């Protein structure tokens, strides 16, 4: 009987121990008490550097400083008794203290991998205000549009959300005071890019449990320095297409020589397209003005060769009644074809300019 009673007591103790690890009310995983719901988590974001941009893969590496602020009366203390109005902790000490208090559990939805080169600082004020500052490097996934290359602007959007709490429990937002601590550094590590601004927008996301969750989108706009691409991109294309002027206007040039020049130009355009794609990924494979110019360049060079050969043959037949008209048509096409091609190329470039 004593053994049976001891066994029953042990089973009851194990059964109650199954709930021993559940957080008690007011613990670090429960929402702050004595505050109005939803809890407001204010965020400021500074982009210290853009380290890498991969346009085709839609990825980028950023060095950011993320500041979170919220109010929790449970961490308030008597500043007069302690002789200070704020307690600061840095590094491992801050991480250890974060395990003992409530945190909003902010998530970077489009982050790839972990945070590298991370530093953290935590400040707890006597009135219960908490400020958490993190600096880190990380890879993010972005939606990029190369249609206007090299006149394009890319919007690098970082999505921040609170996946642990529905919109009725906690929301993430930014105020004018927070935006004073937000921005983009003017000196970026990526070549041929310059910052164009930072903006915030609030959004809602539907969770798997059909509950709405708060989301804040921080969009960093960077613009490509198109001036640096003029000599590297447009001049080689125009130089190759200018061979058509020599074919159209050179006197005494034989048909086989004209064909050789045109086919050499076609090969040069193909070589330029491969070079551009390796040097500027996405410039040819995507629908960019450069890709349009090269594609139209193939058609233009072949059209020049066909018109020139056909009209030369027609003019050589002096007894043909249309030979005089062929000579007049050839004279007009000598300037009309290059002019049309130039207008199309300039129009494609102007259309791609940011509005």
């Amino acid at each position: 009987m004593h053994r049976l009673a001891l066994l029953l007591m042990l089973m009851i103790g194990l059964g109650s121990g199954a709930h021993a690890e559940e957080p008690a009310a007011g613990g670090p995983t429960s929402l702050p008490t004595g505050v109005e719901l939803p809890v407001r988590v204010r965020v400021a974001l500074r982009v210290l550097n853009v380290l890498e941009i991969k346009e085709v893969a839609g990825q980028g590496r950023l060095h950011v400083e993320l500041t979170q602020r919220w109010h929790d009366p449970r961490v308030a203390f008597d500043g007069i008794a302690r002789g200070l109005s704020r307690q600061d902790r840095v590094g491992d000490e801050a991480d250890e203290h974060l395990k003992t208090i409530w945190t909003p559990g902010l998530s970077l939805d489009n982050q790839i991998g972990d945070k590298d080169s991370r530093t953290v600082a935590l400040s707890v004020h006597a009135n219960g205000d908490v400020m958490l500052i993190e600096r880190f490097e990380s890879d993010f996934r972005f939606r990029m549009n190369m249609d206007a290359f090299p006149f394009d602007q890319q919007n690098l959007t970082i999505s921040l959300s609170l996946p642990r709490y529905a919109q009725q429990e906690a929301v993430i937002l930014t105020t004018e005071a927070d935006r004073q601590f937000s921005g983009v550094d003017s000196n970026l590590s990526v070549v041929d890019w310059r910052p164009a601004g930072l903006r915030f927008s609030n959004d809602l996301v539907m969770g798997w449990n059909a509950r709405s969750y708060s989301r804040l989108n921080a969009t960093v706009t960077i613009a490509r320095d198109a001036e640096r691409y003029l000599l590297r991109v447009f001049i080689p294309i125009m130089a190759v297409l200018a061979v058509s002027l020599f074919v159209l206007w050179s006197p005494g040039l034989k048909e086989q020589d004209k064909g050789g020049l045109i086919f050499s130009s076609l090969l040069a355009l193909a070589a330029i397209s491969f070079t551009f794609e390796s040097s500027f990924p996405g410039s040819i494979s995507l629908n960019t003005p450069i890709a349009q110019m090269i594609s139209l360049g193939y058609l233009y060079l072949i059209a020049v060769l066909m018109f020139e050969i056909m009209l030369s043959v027609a003019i050589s037949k002096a007894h043909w009644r249309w030979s005089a008209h062929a000579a007049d048509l050839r004279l007009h096409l000598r300037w009309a074809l290059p002019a049309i091609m130039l207008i199309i190329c300039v129009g494609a470039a102007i259309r791609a300019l940011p509005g």
Side-chain angles (χ1 to χ4, degrees), residues 176-202:
E176 290 299 329
D178 300 312
R179 292 175 184 176
Q180 295 179 3
F181 301 98
S182 303
V184 186
D185 194 272
S186 57
N187 297 320
L188 304 181
S189 295
V190 287
V191 182
D192 299 336
W193 291 96
R194 54 181 174 81
L198 172 67
R199 68 179 185 272
F200 294 92
S201 61
N202 287 98

Side-chain angles (χ1 to χ4, degrees), residues 55-77:
E55 294 94 334
V56 178
Q59 297 180 7
R61 186 170 183 82
L62 274 62
H63 184 201
V64 301
E65 179 184 274
L66 183 61
T67 302
Q68 307 174 50
R69 293 192 295 168
W70 65 89
H71 181 71
D72 189 352
R74 294 173 298 186
V75 299
F77 58 89

Side-chain angles (χ1 to χ4, degrees), residues 235-247:
I235 299 302
I237 296 177
M238 293 304 173
V240 173
L241 296 180
V243 175
S244 62
L245 297 177
F246 183 76
V247 172

